[in-house]
Amino acid sequence: MKTLSASPPLARALAERNYNDATPVQTAVLAADAVGRDLLVSAQTGSGKTVAYGLAIAHDLLGDAERLPRASAPLALIVAPTRELALQVHRELEWLYKHAGARVVSCVGGMDPQREKRELEAGAHIVVGTPGRLCDHIRRKRLDVSELKAVVLDEADEMLDLGFREDMEFILKTTPDTRRTLLFSATLPRTIVNMAKQYQEDAFRVEVTAGEGGHADIEYRAIRIAPGDIEHAVVNVLRFFESPTAIVFCNTRNAVNHLQAALLERGFSVVALSGELTQNERTKALQSLRDGRARVCVATDVAARGIDLPNLGLVVHADLPNDPEVLQHRSGRTGRAGKKGVSVMLVIPARKRRAELLLNLAGIEAVWGTSPTVEEIRALDQQRMLQDALFGEATTEDDLVLAHALLAERSAEDIAAALARLYRSRLPAPEDILDPGQGGRSRDERGPRENRNARRDGPDSRGDERAPRSKPARGGMTEGSVWFRAAIGRNKNAEARWLLPMICRRGGIGKGDIGAIRIFDASTEFEISANAADEFAQKIKRPDKEDNIRIEALPNGPQGDAQSAKREKPDYKGKNNGKPAYQGKPSHDDRPARDSKPRFEGKPRYEGKATYEGKSSYERKPPYEGKSGLHTESRREDTFRTESAPARSKKPKHGKGPDQRSWPEVGERGSFKKPEFAKKPKKKKSRN
């Protein structure tokens, strides 16, 4: 490796790793003007920053010596924002300082602090850790920073975004003033510049642009997709590029879990990385990616920070990043160490402007296009099969014996077809994806009249072409058409986005030959153009092994689902749907006027008595039995009676009731004898 002042032990380690040429950031930090000075470096991820500051602090740690002295108090402190990045830096510095005899210790969150304490007590030359855990060890007097000669803040902008500003300032304040401070950041916002002015002296500033750094080997692509085809687009992109290792970024944990389940269901070997995982689970997931047991990683931005995976050739943005810096950090996971990589953005029509703005702010030129189709993926599968390493292996005697036995029983064509089926069975099936087309264009791309009449002129706005409780997936046929019915509906989660490819495959027709699609509870009706209807009817008669869905023609046109129709409102055509307001009853014009009919027929309202004879919504209460006269009053003001009633004997004023025999005997009217009660003897009070 061509370096200006690399120590001999580090040069040997670089030669063993086949580092033949220095990257621009490595050359800049080893320049004569940068030796012994504080550094403020702006470089993208994947540009070789770890090796760069490892070489930059070598003179501070080693001087002119070949090996480091016995480990005691640390000489260098590396601060990283995440656990994965800190562990990655730990591995890089271990092999870089292997011949110098350096002891590198990591202190990160999620690990056993007691184990880290024992390792620090045993001595270390370089300590790598996350801000929170390092501050904890410093406050507990476990980490001695009095002998530090260099402090490196790796990805300082990310640490500020994650809320580690106070921890960073605490570390810089507690370390010696004579230390050398190296600040590395992908971007240099104002907060980073102000921190550099406060904690650095006469810093040497290095800026490596994306064209000069690690992002020059990344190919950016933007794919236009329909809003409901994000999962299908991820599947086709992974199948099209066939990278040994790929990472798919989502913005939330729920999106990560959902996409991981979808990819597992389709046959991908996939792991997930999110903030809800423990450190042990994260380590196992990353290890499965490194040893090849898993091929795809679905992760959030924070969880994937600092991930360095071998052979990572593809980055997919299932959700658009929030800002240009995040876009660069995501894409920087690929295209590292001189290798080529691809960064694919999935853009729905509503997010097209935002995607263009992100690319412009990041200074990236992306190639716009559509998602890979099934035909393109199948063509690539054929090429990959012919170039498979299996055909290049040496043939053994056992292989020849089995080959002759197969040729004796089967023809060469049958054996080749079986081999092709076996090869395809190991691969996840590609998905049929709708071209966004007219529906995929943004509002600004459509004309004002097109926007204004998009709903009014659509086929689902006309009563004769609107399906109950479902909108047609495609417009009606301008010419003649024939209707067909498929024996699947909403009860089995039927959706137009996968019904359309299935219809095309079963009937051997194109998407342009399919008109309206109406999805009911138990069935789906769709129309086929008259030119393709005969051929379609012949092909659907053959059984299909993949879906086994019965399709039949409807000679009388669309019929609908009887069960669904019962629950639907009538499909009106204009006023009253062309029918009278009341079926089987006289219309409003035929009924007599309101005043021409008497209110009560046959009986006058009052019949000599002041008693209301109409209907009442309640039962009358029995009359009050208290006086010789009977007077009742109902809840209506005009309902009352004034009649005479036979006199009734009065109830005695005392007693329990007429049905009991404890009443006193009644003598003359109004008098009675008082009953005599036996007196109870009084209890004598006790003197005690």
Side-chain angles (χ1 to χ4, degrees):
M1 182 175 185
K2 300 177 182 179
T3 58
L4 297 177
S5 59
S7 301
L10 274 67
R12 290 198 300 270
L14 293 170
E16 292 177 358
R17 291 276 179 148
N18 296 324
Y19 274 80
N20 299 320
D21 296 317
T23 62
V25 64
Q26 294 166 0
T27 303
V29 300
L30 294 176
D33 297 338
V35 175
R37 296 174 57 180
D38 292 346
L39 298 180
L40 178 59
V41 183
S42 172
Q44 303 296 335
T45 55
S47 58
K49 291 186 298 179
T50 305
V51 175
Y53 58 71
L55 297 173
I57 64 176
H59 183 73
D60 301 310
L61 275 62
L62 285 167
D64 297 331
E66 288 283 336
R67 292 182 64 86
L68 290 166
R70 184 177 178 179
S72 57
L75 302 177
L77 182 64
I78 316 297
V79 187
T82 62
R83 294 171 281 185
E84 283 74 20
L85 181 57
L87 296 176
Q88 173 192 332
V89 171
H90 178 268
R91 292 190 297 268
E92 292 286 318
L93 295 180
E94 272 190 332
W95 69 258
L96 183 61
Y97 281 85
K98 178 179 64 173
H99 297 291
R103 189 169 188 271
V104 185
V105 175
S106 62
C107 301
V108 299
M111 296 296 188
D112 184 10
Q114 297 300 323
R115 181 188 60 80
E116 296 173 352
K117 175 186 176 182
R118 292 190 296 269
E119 291 183 352
L120 291 173
E121 291 175 350
H125 296 103
I126 303 173
V127 176
V128 184
T130 51
R133 181 56 64 90
L134 291 176
C135 290
D136 183 63
H137 284 308
I138 293 174
R139 291 188 178 99
R140 296 175 184 270
K141 307 299 181 181
R142 298 172 180 172
L143 177 59
D144 184 6
V145 296
S146 61
E147 301 296 329
L148 287 179
K149 296 181 179 180
V151 175
V152 180
L153 301 180
D154 194 1
E155 296 198 8
D157 56 343
E158 181 64 18
M159 284 192 279
L160 289 179
D161 293 340
L162 296 177
F164 292 132
R165 182 187 182 92
E166 295 181 358
D167 294 337
M168 294 166 61
E169 292 179 347
F170 174 79
I171 293 172
L172 293 175
K173 289 177 181 178
T174 54
T175 52
D177 296 336
T178 57
R179 74 183 185 281
R180 186 181 177 198
T181 306
L182 291 79
L183 197 153
F184 283 74
S185 178
T187 58
L188 292 179
R190 184 177 301 177
T191 52
I192 295 294
V193 176
N194 294 337
M195 180 178 292
K197 292 179 180 179
Q198 183 177 358
Y199 296 102
Q200 288 183 321
E201 294 182 3
D202 190 23
F204 182 75
R205 186 161 179 172
V206 177
E207 291 190 29
V208 180
T209 59
E212 300 173 352
H215 282 209
D217 294 328
I218 301 177
E219 177 188 357
Y220 288 89
R221 295 192 181 188
I223 294 180
R224 296 185 296 267
I225 59 172
D229 281 337
I230 294 179
E231 293 180 11
H232 297 167
V234 171
V235 171
N236 285 11
V237 168
L238 293 174
R239 288 281 285 106
F240 182 82
F241 290 99
E242 285 290 337
S243 174
T245 308
I247 185 168
V248 184
F249 282 100
C250 301
N251 290 341
T252 62
R253 299 177 186 177
N254 292 336
V256 167
N257 297 334
H258 177 77
L259 187 57
Q260 181 200 18
L263 294 178
L264 284 173
E265 184 180 1
R266 287 168 171 83
F268 288 91
S269 55
V270 57
V271 295
L273 285 180
S274 61
E276 62 186 1
L277 300 181
T278 63
Q279 184 60 39
N280 189 28
E281 293 172 339
R282 295 156 72 97
T283 303
K284 289 182 179 179
L286 292 175
Q287 187 60 36
S288 64
L289 291 168
R290 292 190 177 97
D291 58 24
R293 288 182 289 113
R295 177 193 159 203
V296 183
C297 175
V298 185
T300 56
D301 297 320
V302 176
R305 177 69 65 180
I307 291 179
D308 186 15
L309 298 173
N311 301 322
L312 179 61
L314 176 63
V315 171
V316 182
H317 308 270
D319 295 329
L320 289 184
N322 296 324
D323 50 62
E325 289 77 13
V326 175
L327 173 62
Q328 294 175 351
H329 281 299
R330 286 181 174 184
S331 303
R333 300 303 102 201
T334 185
R336 304 170 75 92
K339 297 181 180 179
K340 300 294 182 180
V342 181
S343 177
V344 178
M345 300 173 59
L346 304 182
V347 184
I348 62 176
R351 299 294 180 89
K352 184 179 179 182
R353 271 193 172 184
R354 181 181 175 185
E356 293 175 345
L357 180 61
L358 287 172
L359 294 172
N360 292 334
L361 293 177
I364 297 171
E365 293 184 1
V367 179
W368 286 82
T370 57
S371 176
T373 61
V374 176
E375 292 76 14
E376 295 173 346
I377 296 173
R378 293 278 169 81
L380 287 176
D381 289 342
Q382 182 177 351
Q383 297 178 7
R384 291 166 183 154
M385 179 180 176
L386 296 176
Q387 299 173 0
D388 196 283
L390 184 65
F391 294 101
E393 297 180 0
T395 304
T396 63
E397 292 294 335
D398 295 337
D399 296 338
L400 290 175
V401 171
L402 182 58
H404 290 309
L406 290 174
L407 288 172
E409 296 291 335
R410 302 286 183 179
S411 64
E413 184 178 353
D414 292 340
I415 297 174
L419 179 62
R421 288 194 298 270
L422 181 63
Y423 181 83
R424 286 199 304 265
S425 64
R426 300 181 303 171
L427 303 174
E431 298 285 349
D432 287 305
I433 297 181
L434 293 175
D435 187 353
Q438 180 76 7
R441 291 187 292 168
S442 61
R443 182 175 298 179
D444 299 325
E445 291 178 295
R446 299 196 296 261
R449 181 178 180 82
E450 190 176 352
N451 278 303
R452 184 173 61 251
N453 299 331
R455 292 189 177 183
R456 187 182 64 189
D457 296 339
D460 54 347
S461 63
R462 299 192 299 269
D464 54 344
E465 295 198 17
R466 184 177 61 191
R469 295 181 61 189
S470 65
K471 297 180 180 179
R474 303 174 62 85
M477 309 299 292
T478 56
E479 300 178 356
S481 63
V482 178
W483 283 84
F484 291 82
R485 174 190 291 167
I488 189 171
R490 276 189 295 264
N491 294 340
K492 297 184 178 180
N493 301 323
E495 296 181 4
R497 62 180 182 180
W498 65 264
L499 283 173
L500 183 64
M502 184 271 293
I503 295 171
C504 295
R505 177 176 52 80
R506 289 284 301 274
I509 59 176
K511 299 176 182 178
D513 295 326
I514 303 176
I517 299 178
R518 305 178 181 181
I519 303 176
F520 300 94
D521 285 348
S523 63
T524 298
E525 297 179 359
F526 55 92
E527 60 176 340
I528 304 296
S529 63
N531 299 330
D534 295 337
E535 182 181 359
F536 182 84
Q538 293 297 327
K539 290 187 176 182
I540 62 175
K541 292 180 180 179
R542 294 177 294 181
D544 189 80
K545 297 181 180 179
E546 294 187 15
D547 49 56
N548 196 24
I549 298 176
R550 182 171 53 86
I551 301 177
E552 59 183 359
L554 297 176
N556 299 327
Q559 301 176 4
D561 190 343
Q563 295 180 356
S564 300
K566 291 180 180 180
R567 297 193 299 267
E568 302 301 332
K569 295 181 179 180
D571 196 4
Y572 293 106
K573 303 176 184 177
K575 186 176 181 180
N576 291 334
N577 201 17
K579 299 178 182 180
Y582 297 92
Q583 299 284 348
K585 296 181 180 181
S587 63
H588 181 76
D589 297 335
D590 299 333
R591 288 182 295 172
R594 186 179 184 89
D595 296 334
S596 62
K597 185 177 179 180
R599 188 168 184 180
F600 297 98
E601 295 182 1
K603 292 183 180 181
R605 187 167 186 179
Y606 297 101
E607 298 181 352
K609 298 181 180 180
T611 303
Y612 181 72
E613 297 294 339
K615 295 182 179 179
S616 176
S617 60
Y618 59 90
E619 297 180 358
R620 298 173 182 265
K621 295 182 179 180
Y624 175 74
E625 301 175 359
K627 296 183 179 180
S628 59
L630 179 63
H631 179 80
T632 62
E633 187 171 359
S634 67
R635 298 180 187 178
R636 296 180 62 93
E637 295 181 356
D638 58 345
T639 305
F640 59 91
R641 291 176 182 269
T642 53
E643 299 178 355
S644 59
R648 298 184 181 182
S649 60
K650 293 184 179 181
K651 292 182 179 180
K653 294 183 179 181
H654 303 282
K656 297 182 179 180
D659 57 339
Q660 301 184 16
R661 298 183 179 181
S662 59
W663 286 97
E665 297 179 0
V666 179
E668 296 181 358
R669 184 177 181 85
S671 64
F672 63 91
K673 295 181 179 180
K674 185 176 181 180
E676 296 180 358
F677 298 95
K679 295 182 180 181
K680 295 182 180 181
K682 294 183 179 181
K683 293 183 179 181
K684 296 182 179 181
K685 295 182 180 181
S686 175
R687 297 181 180 180
N688 298 328

